[in-house]
Amino acid sequence: DTGVSQDPRHKITKRGQNVTFRCDPISEHNRLYWYRQTLGQGPEFLTYFQNEAQLEKSRLLSDRFSAERPKGSFSTLEIQRTEQGDSAMYLCASSPPSVWGYTFGSGTRLTVV
Amino acid sequence: GQNIDQPTEMTATEGAIVQINCTYQTSGFNGLFWYQQHAGEAPTFLSYNVLDGLEEKGRFSSFLSRSKGYSYLLLKELQMKDSASYLCAVNGGNNRLAFGKGNQVVVIP
């Protein structure tokens, strides 16, 4: 297992289109997190899964955003009707049950034009 | 709620020592983390403090005072590759990390 994988690395989309990102966590990690990071800012929490259960969602996650982790393994984050303000780096992280610390994926950089 | 504050940028010379401060206000506390992030890359874990005191790991050390809501990361013998953003993050006891904005360190020859 080589760490947390995210796909795609880069995505350019037109405003109004839908996009979906995928995250494959470290296999023995049951916790999975999505964060968003804009230039010059720290990562902002979006949502968190423990196994397949989505336990918490940030106020930042408007109704255009949805995340799933159907079998407690990989996760997807979908953004519907993208807006220019959605342009950011979307980071996925996973951790084991002890939450000693996260391991981050390389991120998906979204540009909405 | 959670509030994590870090200075934004500092410049230091190769071989020097630099200290990056972080203050936090959280309703709960279950550990403070430092991450390094190079431009365009994901954050990578540097250190973790849950008890007061200094944790040393090679050229990097991290200090925590829970009563003061304060931590610092000490980088010794700076190298050019240490040019990066350094993120302070707190586990507020709710199974997730809240990050500060990061401190950009620029190392010059």
Side-chain angles (χ1 to χ4, degrees), chain B residues 75-108:
Chain B
L75 284 63
K76 305 173 193 172
E77 301 167 17
L78 275 178
Q79 301 176 9
M80 298 300 291
K81 67 179 182 179
D82 297 331
S83 292
S85 180
Y86 292 86
L87 299 162
C88 169
V90 174
N91 182 335
N94 53 1
N95 295 318
R96 59 173 173 86
L97 297 184
F99 286 83
K101 292 183 178 182
N103 183 307
Q104 186 68 40
V105 172
V106 178
V107 182
I108 57 176

PDB file of all heavy atoms in Angstrom, chain B residues 75-108:
ATOM      1  N   LEU B  75      12.930  24.759  13.944  1.00  0.00           N
ATOM      2  CA  LEU B  75      13.661  24.151  12.851  1.00  0.00           C
ATOM      3  C   LEU B  75      15.134  24.547  12.993  1.00  0.00           C
ATOM      4  O   LEU B  75      15.469  25.729  12.956  1.00  0.00           O
ATOM      5  CB  LEU B  75      13.147  24.642  11.493  1.00  0.00           C
ATOM      6  CG  LEU B  75      11.833  24.110  10.956  1.00  0.00           C
ATOM      7  CD1 LEU B  75      10.664  24.470  11.840  1.00  0.00           C
ATOM      8  CD2 LEU B  75      11.596  24.612   9.544  1.00  0.00           C
ATOM      9  N   LYS B  76      16.002  23.560  13.130  1.00  0.00           N
ATOM     10  CA  LYS B  76      17.433  23.836  13.306  1.00  0.00           C
ATOM     11  C   LYS B  76      18.190  23.512  12.025  1.00  0.00           C
ATOM     12  O   LYS B  76      17.723  22.747  11.188  1.00  0.00           O
ATOM     13  CB  LYS B  76      17.999  22.975  14.447  1.00  0.00           C
ATOM     14  CG  LYS B  76      17.279  23.121  15.766  1.00  0.00           C
ATOM     15  CD  LYS B  76      17.798  22.095  16.774  1.00  0.00           C
ATOM     16  CE  LYS B  76      16.900  22.002  17.985  1.00  0.00           C
ATOM     17  NZ  LYS B  76      17.265  20.891  18.877  1.00  0.00           N
ATOM     18  N   GLU B  77      19.376  24.130  11.910  1.00  0.00           N
ATOM     19  CA  GLU B  77      20.276  23.846  10.770  1.00  0.00           C
ATOM     20  C   GLU B  77      19.484  23.899   9.462  1.00  0.00           C
ATOM     21  O   GLU B  77      19.473  22.944   8.689  1.00  0.00           O
ATOM     22  CB  GLU B  77      20.945  22.477  10.938  1.00  0.00           C
ATOM     23  CG  GLU B  77      21.762  22.342  12.212  1.00  0.00           C
ATOM     24  CD  GLU B  77      22.154  20.888  12.497  1.00  0.00           C
ATOM     25  OE1 GLU B  77      22.088  20.044  11.581  1.00  0.00           O
ATOM     26  OE2 GLU B  77      22.507  20.607  13.658  1.00  0.00           O
ATOM     27  N   LEU B  78      18.832  25.035   9.254  1.00  0.00           N
ATOM     28  CA  LEU B  78      17.952  25.177   8.100  1.00  0.00           C
ATOM     29  C   LEU B  78      18.627  24.793   6.796  1.00  0.00           C
ATOM     30  O   LEU B  78      19.791  25.139   6.545  1.00  0.00           O
ATOM     31  CB  LEU B  78      17.454  26.611   8.000  1.00  0.00           C
ATOM     32  CG  LEU B  78      16.238  26.989   8.823  1.00  0.00           C
ATOM     33  CD1 LEU B  78      15.920  28.457   8.627  1.00  0.00           C
ATOM     34  CD2 LEU B  78      15.033  26.133   8.491  1.00  0.00           C
ATOM     35  N   GLN B  79      17.849  24.103   5.964  1.00  0.00           N
ATOM     36  CA  GLN B  79      18.314  23.729   4.635  1.00  0.00           C
ATOM     37  C   GLN B  79      17.357  24.340   3.613  1.00  0.00           C
ATOM     38  O   GLN B  79      16.207  24.650   3.936  1.00  0.00           O
ATOM     39  CB  GLN B  79      18.337  22.202   4.497  1.00  0.00           C
ATOM     40  CG  GLN B  79      19.245  21.516   5.515  1.00  0.00           C
ATOM     41  CD  GLN B  79      19.187  19.995   5.441  1.00  0.00           C
ATOM     42  OE1 GLN B  79      18.603  19.421   4.527  1.00  0.00           O
ATOM     43  NE2 GLN B  79      19.818  19.331   6.417  1.00  0.00           N
ATOM     44  N   MET B  80      17.840  24.480   2.391  1.00  0.00           N
ATOM     45  CA  MET B  80      17.009  25.093   1.338  1.00  0.00           C
ATOM     46  C   MET B  80      15.702  24.321   1.178  1.00  0.00           C
ATOM     47  O   MET B  80      14.650  24.920   0.928  1.00  0.00           O
ATOM     48  CB  MET B  80      17.766  25.143   0.027  1.00  0.00           C
ATOM     49  CG  MET B  80      19.030  25.993   0.058  1.00  0.00           C
ATOM     50  SD  MET B  80      18.695  27.722   0.464  1.00  0.00           S
ATOM     51  CE  MET B  80      17.848  28.243  -1.010  1.00  0.00           C
ATOM     52  N   LYS B  81      15.749  23.003   1.339  1.00  0.00           N
ATOM     53  CA  LYS B  81      14.548  22.183   1.147  1.00  0.00           C
ATOM     54  C   LYS B  81      13.496  22.409   2.246  1.00  0.00           C
ATOM     55  O   LYS B  81      12.369  21.935   2.132  1.00  0.00           O
ATOM     56  CB  LYS B  81      14.912  20.698   1.122  1.00  0.00           C
ATOM     57  CG  LYS B  81      15.432  20.153   2.450  1.00  0.00           C
ATOM     58  CD  LYS B  81      15.756  18.667   2.352  1.00  0.00           C
ATOM     59  CE  LYS B  81      16.233  18.129   3.702  1.00  0.00           C
ATOM     60  NZ  LYS B  81      16.541  16.671   3.642  1.00  0.00           N
ATOM     61  N   ASP B  82      13.889  23.145   3.292  1.00  0.00           N
ATOM     62  CA  ASP B  82      12.921  23.455   4.362  1.00  0.00           C
ATOM     63  C   ASP B  82      11.999  24.609   3.977  1.00  0.00           C
ATOM     64  O   ASP B  82      11.059  24.913   4.728  1.00  0.00           O
ATOM     65  CB  ASP B  82      13.656  23.799   5.665  1.00  0.00           C
ATOM     66  CG  ASP B  82      14.469  22.636   6.215  1.00  0.00           C
ATOM     67  OD1 ASP B  82      14.080  21.475   5.972  1.00  0.00           O
ATOM     68  OD2 ASP B  82      15.500  22.895   6.861  1.00  0.00           O
ATOM     69  N   SER B  83      12.253  25.256   2.846  1.00  0.00           N
ATOM     70  CA  SER B  83      11.350  26.305   2.365  1.00  0.00           C
ATOM     71  C   SER B  83       9.992  25.679   2.083  1.00  0.00           C
ATOM     72  O   SER B  83       9.856  24.840   1.185  1.00  0.00           O
ATOM     73  CB  SER B  83      11.892  26.950   1.092  1.00  0.00           C
ATOM     74  OG  SER B  83      13.063  27.685   1.355  1.00  0.00           O
ATOM     75  N   ALA B  84       9.001  26.072   2.857  1.00  0.00           N
ATOM     76  CA  ALA B  84       7.686  25.440   2.775  1.00  0.00           C
ATOM     77  C   ALA B  84       6.745  26.211   3.685  1.00  0.00           C
ATOM     78  O   ALA B  84       7.151  27.119   4.414  1.00  0.00           O
ATOM     79  CB  ALA B  84       7.748  23.977   3.215  1.00  0.00           C
ATOM     80  N   SER B  85       5.481  25.803   3.656  1.00  0.00           N
ATOM     81  CA  SER B  85       4.515  26.311   4.620  1.00  0.00           C
ATOM     82  C   SER B  85       4.424  25.319   5.769  1.00  0.00           C
ATOM     83  O   SER B  85       4.429  24.099   5.545  1.00  0.00           O
ATOM     84  CB  SER B  85       3.156  26.479   3.943  1.00  0.00           C
ATOM     85  OG  SER B  85       2.207  26.962   4.867  1.00  0.00           O
ATOM     86  N   TYR B  86       4.356  25.818   6.981  1.00  0.00           N
ATOM     87  CA  TYR B  86       4.267  24.971   8.173  1.00  0.00           C
ATOM     88  C   TYR B  86       2.909  25.205   8.824  1.00  0.00           C
ATOM     89  O   TYR B  86       2.576  26.320   9.214  1.00  0.00           O
ATOM     90  CB  TYR B  86       5.434  25.258   9.113  1.00  0.00           C
ATOM     91  CG  TYR B  86       6.727  24.790   8.500  1.00  0.00           C
ATOM     92  CD1 TYR B  86       7.439  25.609   7.631  1.00  0.00           C
ATOM     93  CD2 TYR B  86       7.187  23.506   8.727  1.00  0.00           C
ATOM     94  CE1 TYR B  86       8.590  25.167   7.006  1.00  0.00           C
ATOM     95  CE2 TYR B  86       8.355  23.052   8.120  1.00  0.00           C
ATOM     96  CZ  TYR B  86       9.037  23.880   7.260  1.00  0.00           C
ATOM     97  OH  TYR B  86      10.180  23.425   6.648  1.00  0.00           O
ATOM     98  N   LEU B  87       2.135  24.132   8.899  1.00  0.00           N
ATOM     99  CA  LEU B  87       0.753  24.202   9.362  1.00  0.00           C
ATOM    100  C   LEU B  87       0.632  23.649  10.770  1.00  0.00           C
ATOM    101  O   LEU B  87       1.106  22.555  11.059  1.00  0.00           O
ATOM    102  CB  LEU B  87      -0.151  23.382   8.438  1.00  0.00           C
ATOM    103  CG  LEU B  87      -0.225  23.806   6.976  1.00  0.00           C
ATOM    104  CD1 LEU B  87      -0.787  22.682   6.123  1.00  0.00           C
ATOM    105  CD2 LEU B  87      -1.088  25.044   6.839  1.00  0.00           C
ATOM    106  N   CYS B  88      -0.024  24.411  11.613  1.00  0.00           N
ATOM    107  CA  CYS B  88      -0.358  23.971  12.964  1.00  0.00           C
ATOM    108  C   CYS B  88      -1.798  23.473  12.922  1.00  0.00           C
ATOM    109  O   CYS B  88      -2.663  24.111  12.293  1.00  0.00           O
ATOM    110  CB  CYS B  88      -0.213  25.178  13.896  1.00  0.00           C
ATOM    111  SG  CYS B  88      -0.847  24.987  15.551  1.00  0.00           S
ATOM    112  N   ALA B  89      -2.080  22.335  13.541  1.00  0.00           N
ATOM    113  CA  ALA B  89      -3.438  21.781  13.522  1.00  0.00           C
ATOM    114  C   ALA B  89      -3.773  21.208  14.889  1.00  0.00           C
ATOM    115  O   ALA B  89      -2.923  20.579  15.527  1.00  0.00           O
ATOM    116  CB  ALA B  89      -3.574  20.703  12.452  1.00  0.00           C
ATOM    117  N   VAL B  90      -5.001  21.418  15.318  1.00  0.00           N
ATOM    118  CA  VAL B  90      -5.435  20.957  16.637  1.00  0.00           C
ATOM    119  C   VAL B  90      -6.567  19.948  16.495  1.00  0.00           C
ATOM    120  O   VAL B  90      -7.502  20.161  15.722  1.00  0.00           O
ATOM    121  CB  VAL B  90      -5.910  22.149  17.500  1.00  0.00           C
ATOM    122  CG1 VAL B  90      -6.503  21.659  18.820  1.00  0.00           C
ATOM    123  CG2 VAL B  90      -4.745  23.089  17.766  1.00  0.00           C
ATOM    124  N   ASN B  91      -6.457  18.850  17.230  1.00  0.00           N
ATOM    125  CA  ASN B  91      -7.572  17.920  17.376  1.00  0.00           C
ATOM    126  C   ASN B  91      -8.369  18.400  18.583  1.00  0.00           C
ATOM    127  O   ASN B  91      -7.920  18.298  19.707  1.00  0.00           O
ATOM    128  CB  ASN B  91      -7.036  16.504  17.589  1.00  0.00           C
ATOM    129  CG  ASN B  91      -8.154  15.479  17.698  1.00  0.00           C
ATOM    130  OD1 ASN B  91      -9.277  15.814  18.079  1.00  0.00           O
ATOM    131  ND2 ASN B  91      -7.853  14.244  17.378  1.00  0.00           N
ATOM    132  N   GLY B  92      -9.554  18.952  18.309  1.00  0.00           N
ATOM    133  CA  GLY B  92     -10.359  19.522  19.379  1.00  0.00           C
ATOM    134  C   GLY B  92     -11.207  18.501  20.107  1.00  0.00           C
ATOM    135  O   GLY B  92     -12.180  18.867  20.775  1.00  0.00           O
ATOM    136  N   GLY B  93     -10.866  17.225  19.958  1.00  0.00           N
ATOM    137  CA  GLY B  93     -11.604  16.176  20.647  1.00  0.00           C
ATOM    138  C   GLY B  93     -12.810  15.692  19.864  1.00  0.00           C
ATOM    139  O   GLY B  93     -13.646  14.953  20.374  1.00  0.00           O
ATOM    140  N   ASN B  94     -12.933  16.136  18.614  1.00  0.00           N
ATOM    141  CA  ASN B  94     -14.079  15.754  17.789  1.00  0.00           C
ATOM    142  C   ASN B  94     -13.645  14.930  16.585  1.00  0.00           C
ATOM    143  O   ASN B  94     -14.312  14.945  15.557  1.00  0.00           O
ATOM    144  CB  ASN B  94     -14.828  17.011  17.341  1.00  0.00           C
ATOM    145  CG  ASN B  94     -13.921  18.025  16.682  1.00  0.00           C
ATOM    146  OD1 ASN B  94     -12.726  17.783  16.531  1.00  0.00           O
ATOM    147  ND2 ASN B  94     -14.464  19.154  16.292  1.00  0.00           N
ATOM    148  N   ASN B  95     -12.534  14.240  16.736  1.00  0.00           N
ATOM    149  CA  ASN B  95     -12.060  13.302  15.718  1.00  0.00           C
ATOM    150  C   ASN B  95     -11.676  13.941  14.398  1.00  0.00           C
ATOM    151  O   ASN B  95     -11.645  13.261  13.384  1.00  0.00           O
ATOM    152  CB  ASN B  95     -13.100  12.206  15.453  1.00  0.00           C
ATOM    153  CG  ASN B  95     -13.314  11.335  16.672  1.00  0.00           C
ATOM    154  OD1 ASN B  95     -12.357  10.959  17.352  1.00  0.00           O
ATOM    155  ND2 ASN B  95     -14.555  11.044  16.982  1.00  0.00           N
ATOM    156  N   ARG B  96     -11.404  15.224  14.386  1.00  0.00           N
ATOM    157  CA  ARG B  96     -10.884  15.848  13.179  1.00  0.00           C
ATOM    158  C   ARG B  96      -9.943  16.975  13.564  1.00  0.00           C
ATOM    159  O   ARG B  96      -9.934  17.426  14.701  1.00  0.00           O
ATOM    160  CB  ARG B  96     -12.022  16.374  12.305  1.00  0.00           C
ATOM    161  CG  ARG B  96     -12.914  17.408  12.975  1.00  0.00           C
ATOM    162  CD  ARG B  96     -13.871  17.948  11.952  1.00  0.00           C
ATOM    163  NE  ARG B  96     -14.885  18.837  12.508  1.00  0.00           N
ATOM    164  CZ  ARG B  96     -14.704  20.136  12.689  1.00  0.00           C
ATOM    165  NH1 ARG B  96     -13.543  20.680  12.405  1.00  0.00           N
ATOM    166  NH2 ARG B  96     -15.671  20.881  13.163  1.00  0.00           N
ATOM    167  N   LEU B  97      -9.117  17.379  12.585  1.00  0.00           N
ATOM    168  CA  LEU B  97      -8.129  18.422  12.829  1.00  0.00           C
ATOM    169  C   LEU B  97      -8.612  19.755  12.280  1.00  0.00           C
ATOM    170  O   LEU B  97      -9.181  19.812  11.177  1.00  0.00           O
ATOM    171  CB  LEU B  97      -6.798  18.064  12.157  1.00  0.00           C
ATOM    172  CG  LEU B  97      -6.083  16.810  12.657  1.00  0.00           C
ATOM    173  CD1 LEU B  97      -4.731  16.650  11.958  1.00  0.00           C
ATOM    174  CD2 LEU B  97      -5.899  16.851  14.156  1.00  0.00           C
ATOM    175  N   ALA B  98      -8.365  20.811  13.048  1.00  0.00           N
ATOM    176  CA  ALA B  98      -8.607  22.177  12.588  1.00  0.00           C
ATOM    177  C   ALA B  98      -7.250  22.822  12.347  1.00  0.00           C
ATOM    178  O   ALA B  98      -6.399  22.826  13.245  1.00  0.00           O
ATOM    179  CB  ALA B  98      -9.394  22.960  13.631  1.00  0.00           C
ATOM    180  N   PHE B  99      -7.051  23.348  11.148  1.00  0.00           N
ATOM    181  CA  PHE B  99      -5.755  23.873  10.745  1.00  0.00           C
ATOM    182  C   PHE B  99      -5.696  25.385  10.840  1.00  0.00           C
ATOM    183  O   PHE B  99      -6.689  26.080  10.596  1.00  0.00           O
ATOM    184  CB  PHE B  99      -5.461  23.478   9.289  1.00  0.00           C
ATOM    185  CG  PHE B  99      -5.101  22.042   9.101  1.00  0.00           C
ATOM    186  CD1 PHE B  99      -6.082  21.074   9.001  1.00  0.00           C
ATOM    187  CD2 PHE B  99      -3.764  21.656   9.024  1.00  0.00           C
ATOM    188  CE1 PHE B  99      -5.744  19.735   8.834  1.00  0.00           C
ATOM    189  CE2 PHE B  99      -3.425  20.330   8.855  1.00  0.00           C
ATOM    190  CZ  PHE B  99      -4.415  19.365   8.759  1.00  0.00           C
ATOM    191  N   GLY B 100      -4.495  25.903  11.145  1.00  0.00           N
ATOM    192  CA  GLY B 100      -4.229  27.321  10.981  1.00  0.00           C
ATOM    193  C   GLY B 100      -3.933  27.621   9.518  1.00  0.00           C
ATOM    194  O   GLY B 100      -3.927  26.713   8.674  1.00  0.00           O
ATOM    195  N   LYS B 101      -3.678  28.896   9.217  1.00  0.00           N
ATOM    196  CA  LYS B 101      -3.441  29.293   7.829  1.00  0.00           C
ATOM    197  C   LYS B 101      -2.069  28.884   7.330  1.00  0.00           C
ATOM    198  O   LYS B 101      -1.818  28.863   6.133  1.00  0.00           O
ATOM    199  CB  LYS B 101      -3.594  30.809   7.686  1.00  0.00           C
ATOM    200  CG  LYS B 101      -5.007  31.291   7.878  1.00  0.00           C
ATOM    201  CD  LYS B 101      -5.115  32.787   7.648  1.00  0.00           C
ATOM    202  CE  LYS B 101      -6.553  33.238   7.792  1.00  0.00           C
ATOM    203  NZ  LYS B 101      -6.684  34.699   7.532  1.00  0.00           N
ATOM    204  N   GLY B 102      -1.176  28.570   8.265  1.00  0.00           N
ATOM    205  CA  GLY B 102       0.169  28.177   7.864  1.00  0.00           C
ATOM    206  C   GLY B 102       1.134  29.341   7.905  1.00  0.00           C
ATOM    207  O   GLY B 102       0.749  30.507   7.765  1.00  0.00           O
ATOM    208  N   ASN B 103       2.380  29.020   8.129  1.00  0.00           N
ATOM    209  CA  ASN B 103       3.454  30.005   8.148  1.00  0.00           C
ATOM    210  C   ASN B 103       4.427  29.668   7.037  1.00  0.00           C
ATOM    211  O   ASN B 103       4.990  28.567   7.025  1.00  0.00           O
ATOM    212  CB  ASN B 103       4.143  29.991   9.513  1.00  0.00           C
ATOM    213  CG  ASN B 103       5.229  31.042   9.618  1.00  0.00           C
ATOM    214  OD1 ASN B 103       6.133  31.117   8.778  1.00  0.00           O
ATOM    215  ND2 ASN B 103       5.155  31.861  10.633  1.00  0.00           N
ATOM    216  N   GLN B 104       4.605  30.593   6.094  1.00  0.00           N
ATOM    217  CA  GLN B 104       5.503  30.361   4.963  1.00  0.00           C
ATOM    218  C   GLN B 104       6.931  30.694   5.391  1.00  0.00           C
ATOM    219  O   GLN B 104       7.221  31.834   5.783  1.00  0.00           O
ATOM    220  CB  GLN B 104       5.087  31.234   3.778  1.00  0.00           C
ATOM    221  CG  GLN B 104       5.873  30.970   2.517  1.00  0.00           C
ATOM    222  CD  GLN B 104       5.602  29.614   1.918  1.00  0.00           C
ATOM    223  OE1 GLN B 104       4.466  29.153   1.903  1.00  0.00           O
ATOM    224  NE2 GLN B 104       6.630  28.940   1.449  1.00  0.00           N
ATOM    225  N   VAL B 105       7.811  29.704   5.326  1.00  0.00           N
ATOM    226  CA  VAL B 105       9.229  29.917   5.650  1.00  0.00           C
ATOM    227  C   VAL B 105      10.013  29.916   4.348  1.00  0.00           C
ATOM    228  O   VAL B 105       9.906  28.969   3.554  1.00  0.00           O
ATOM    229  CB  VAL B 105       9.756  28.823   6.596  1.00  0.00           C
ATOM    230  CG1 VAL B 105      11.266  28.941   6.763  1.00  0.00           C
ATOM    231  CG2 VAL B 105       9.054  28.907   7.947  1.00  0.00           C
ATOM    232  N   VAL B 106      10.777  30.973   4.141  1.00  0.00           N
ATOM    233  CA  VAL B 106      11.627  31.080   2.964  1.00  0.00           C
ATOM    234  C   VAL B 106      13.074  31.017   3.439  1.00  0.00           C
ATOM    235  O   VAL B 106      13.494  31.843   4.264  1.00  0.00           O
ATOM    236  CB  VAL B 106      11.375  32.398   2.211  1.00  0.00           C
ATOM    237  CG1 VAL B 106      12.314  32.513   1.015  1.00  0.00           C
ATOM    238  CG2 VAL B 106       9.925  32.471   1.761  1.00  0.00           C
ATOM    239  N   VAL B 107      13.813  30.028   2.954  1.00  0.00           N
ATOM    240  CA  VAL B 107      15.220  29.876   3.330  1.00  0.00           C
ATOM    241  C   VAL B 107      16.092  30.440   2.209  1.00  0.00           C
ATOM    242  O   VAL B 107      15.928  30.064   1.041  1.00  0.00           O
ATOM    243  CB  VAL B 107      15.574  28.398   3.579  1.00  0.00           C
ATOM    244  CG1 VAL B 107      17.031  28.264   4.012  1.00  0.00           C
ATOM    245  CG2 VAL B 107      14.640  27.798   4.632  1.00  0.00           C
ATOM    246  N   ILE B 108      16.982  31.351   2.581  1.00  0.00           N
ATOM    247  CA  ILE B 108      17.865  31.967   1.588  1.00  0.00           C
ATOM    248  C   ILE B 108      19.314  31.552   1.849  1.00  0.00           C
ATOM    249  O   ILE B 108      19.669  31.253   2.986  1.00  0.00           O
ATOM    250  CB  ILE B 108      17.719  33.501   1.606  1.00  0.00           C
ATOM    251  CG1 ILE B 108      18.015  34.059   3.013  1.00  0.00           C
ATOM    252  CG2 ILE B 108      16.320  33.902   1.158  1.00  0.00           C
ATOM    253  CD1 ILE B 108      17.978  35.571   3.087  1.00  0.00           C
TER     254      ILE B 108
END
